[in-house]
Amino acid sequence: MNLIIIPILAGIFSGVTELLYKAVQNKKFSKATYIFTFYLIATIITLPFFIFKFEPDITISLGFIILLALACYVLGNYFMFSALKVEDLSNIAIVRRSDMLFSVLFGFLFFNELITNKNILGVVLIILGVLVIFFEKKKISMISYKGLLFSLLTGFFFALAAFFAKYILKSINPYFFVFLIYLGLTISFSFFPKVKTEYKELFKLHKAKILAAGILGVFAYLLNIISLKVLNLSISFPVIGSTALSIAVLSGLIILKERKNLFKKLVGLIFVIAGIYMFA
């Protein structure tokens, strides 16, 4: 089997999952409630990974790195849902591809992966795509500024988490790692205020979408982690990123009807996809 199918499927599932995340947004519920609810479902779904793929020999040093990865996922998810509350999915999806820039940098610094002239051109194209979307009349509006900042932070922390995951997967199997991260995220966000009083109401209100997001999210994350194990960061991230980006942006435009500044979004999308493939 051609291994490239793994990140392609991861990107498809990721894009649809992001659409479902955006579709259930409601100011009534806190960001932490959304994250807890989604990952509680994911933890239950991946419980068989713990039962059948348990790894008993985790050293103290490896456990510390797993905690670092978890911290990055906690921050990445918090900023992602912060962005979803203030910005269009189609815009967030484009800026989130900044994780490409960070992942390639980490790959260069820590895994001896080369940065070429094509990579530098890719950086320029991605930055141009972001600027096209968020700059209007030589400035960024306050809401767009928050959406831009939250999306960039999401990309940074998810890329850093992927760097730690790449290292961790040398020692444990991807299935057990996926369960550990979901369990850690669920426990972490259970301590946030309002979560324990809101999550049942949120689940009842959007049961079908939350279950679908939980199932698709598990497939997306598992395939993402497997692609990190079998492919270089500089290969898996461009494919996952461009596929997820295309799905999320088109879903935002067609399903969520995010038609404001349509031309700018499409131009930004073209720049970012072109930039991503400079890393492939």
Side-chain angles (χ1 to χ4, degrees):
M1 184 182 79
N2 192 337
L3 294 177
I4 203 68
I5 193 66
I6 299 173
I8 289 174
L9 289 174
I12 292 172
F13 290 134
S14 294
V16 177
T17 302
E18 289 177 14
L19 169 64
L20 292 168
Y21 286 165
K22 180 64 176 179
V24 300
Q25 289 299 307
N26 187 319
K27 293 182 179 179
K28 179 179 180 180
F29 302 106
S30 70
K31 297 181 285 289
T33 299
Y34 281 103
I35 300 169
F36 172 82
T37 307
F38 284 122
Y39 290 128
L40 175 62
I41 299 298
T43 302
I44 294 171
I45 293 171
T46 57
L47 186 59
F49 295 170
F50 172 73
I51 297 172
F52 298 107
K53 295 289 185 177
F54 179 68
E55 293 273 0
D57 301 321
I58 296 179
T59 63
I60 294 176
S61 59
L62 181 62
F64 178 70
I65 297 172
I66 291 172
L67 288 176
L68 288 177
L70 175 61
C72 291
Y73 281 121
V74 167
L75 291 169
N77 276 280
Y78 183 82
F79 287 121
M80 179 176 70
F81 278 86
S82 296
L84 286 169
K85 280 189 172 293
V86 299
E87 190 58 67
D88 286 351
L89 172 64
S90 46
N91 288 348
I92 294 167
I94 293 172
V95 181
R96 263 201 60 192
R97 297 289 70 84
S98 61
D99 60 3
M100 260 302 311
L101 312 181
F102 299 120
S103 66
V104 170
L105 177 61
F106 296 147
F108 170 74
L109 292 175
F110 302 106
F111 294 109
N112 297 319
E113 296 179 6
L114 296 177
I115 293 181
T116 65
N117 290 333
K118 280 181 62 180
N119 298 154
I120 296 172
L121 177 59
V123 170
V124 173
L125 289 170
I126 291 173
I127 292 173
L128 283 175
V130 172
L131 293 178
V132 165
I133 292 170
F134 282 94
F135 269 87
E136 187 170 355
K137 297 178 180 180
K138 299 182 180 180
K139 65 179 183 179
I140 304 176
S141 70
M142 185 54 67
I143 292 179
S144 292
Y145 174 77
K146 289 181 180 179
L148 173 61
L149 178 61
F150 291 150
S151 300
L152 286 172
L153 288 170
T154 299
F156 172 78
F157 282 111
F158 280 160
L160 188 56
F163 160 70
F164 287 126
K166 181 79 174 175
Y167 180 84
I168 293 165
L169 291 170
K170 294 178 180 179
S171 302
I172 65 175
N173 71 74
Y175 301 95
F176 184 61
F177 176 71
V178 166
F179 171 78
L180 283 181
I181 293 300
Y182 280 140
L183 178 63
L185 284 166
T186 304
I187 293 172
S188 298
F189 283 98
S190 70
F191 293 105
F192 279 66
K194 299 182 180 180
V195 167
K196 293 179 180 178
T197 58
E198 289 182 346
Y199 83 94
K200 291 182 181 179
E201 183 182 355
L202 173 62
F203 182 74
K204 288 179 182 178
L205 192 62
H206 299 290
K207 184 183 297 184
K209 291 177 181 176
I210 288 173
L211 286 173
I215 294 169
L216 291 174
V218 167
F219 280 113
Y221 185 51
L222 178 60
L223 290 170
N224 193 316
I225 291 300
I226 291 174
S227 72
L228 285 176
K229 187 175 180 67
V230 300
L231 295 168
N232 286 340
L233 276 174
S234 55
I235 295 175
S236 60
F237 259 71
V239 178
I240 294 171
S242 57
T243 307
L245 173 61
S246 301
I247 296 292
V249 171
L250 293 176
S251 298
L253 295 175
I254 296 170
I255 299 174
L256 301 179
K257 302 187 185 303
E258 298 172 346
R259 307 292 171 80
K260 184 180 178 181
N261 296 322
L262 177 60
F263 178 74
K264 289 174 62 178
K265 290 179 180 181
L266 292 176
V267 172
L269 174 63
I270 291 169
F271 272 121
V272 173
I273 289 180
I276 288 172
Y277 274 96
M278 291 297 104
F279 293 94

